[in-house]
Amino acid sequence: MDKKYEIGWRNPQQTVLVVTYLADPLLSDILDANLEAFAMIEKIPHDVILLHNGGKYKIETIGIGSFHDLLYNKLPSKPLENLKLIIVLLENNHIRRLAGAAMEILDKLFLRRQMVQSVGSMDEAERLIAKAGF
């Protein structure tokens, strides 16, 4: 099956890794993208920001319990030390609000620190990246 995303470094310094979605992703696609991105980030000796660019696409929205069950034992048992921020860009405000609960679960249960930020535009993402010093 074809992937619904592409992953690549935004810059030669490999400080921002971008997941660009090419179609409406299912949560399993997002999980696969995260696992692939985490494997790339793990190899980098310096701090990294992960940007999920969902753009105009809609993501599957399911209940909080289902999201937890999907992720349980699939993400690394401890957060990557060099992963400093995850930015999720979703242009659709309604979808961004619905995805907010799932992002909170990711933050609290799996990453164990406040690091997921949701934005509605690339300009907002760029401001967060600059604010983080990347």
Side-chain angles (χ1 to χ4, degrees):
M1 174 180 235
D2 291 330
K3 288 193 226 178
K4 293 183 180 180
Y5 61 87
E6 296 176 338
I7 298 180
W9 293 103
R10 179 179 115 150
N11 54 14
Q13 298 82 13
Q14 296 182 326
T15 57
V16 179
L17 184 60
V18 181
V19 177
T20 303
Y21 291 92
L22 308 171
D24 293 347
L26 299 172
L27 287 176
S28 58
D29 299 314
I30 296 167
L31 174 62
D32 290 346
N34 270 308
L35 293 173
E36 191 175 330
F38 288 174
M40 293 172 72
I41 292 168
E42 201 170 41
K43 297 174 185 170
I44 302 299
H46 54 265
D47 291 346
V48 174
I49 289 176
L50 175 58
L51 170 62
H52 282 270
N53 185 351
K56 65 182 186 231
Y57 295 109
K58 295 178 182 176
I59 61 170
E60 174 185 32
T61 54
I62 61 174
I64 291 172
S66 299
F67 185 73
H68 178 275
D69 293 347
L70 178 70
L71 295 180
Y72 192 73
N73 285 333
K74 293 185 180 154
L75 292 177
S77 60
K78 104 180 196 188
L80 300 173
E81 290 296 320
N82 63 334
L83 179 59
K84 295 304 173 190
L85 180 63
I86 298 173
I87 300 170
V88 179
L89 189 161
L90 295 168
E91 293 174 7
N92 183 306
N93 288 331
H94 178 69
I95 297 296
R96 193 167 63 253
R97 279 193 304 276
L98 290 174
M103 287 186 260
E104 277 186 43
I105 289 175
L106 181 64
D107 249 356
K108 291 179 182 172
L109 296 179
F110 297 102
L111 299 171
R112 297 179 185 90
R113 56 186 177 191
Q114 185 72 30
M115 66 183 305
V116 179
Q117 301 269 340
S118 174
V119 297
S121 71
M122 188 54 83
D123 286 343
E124 288 178 81
E126 293 293 345
R127 283 193 291 277
L128 283 176
I129 292 167
K131 184 178 177 182
F134 286 74

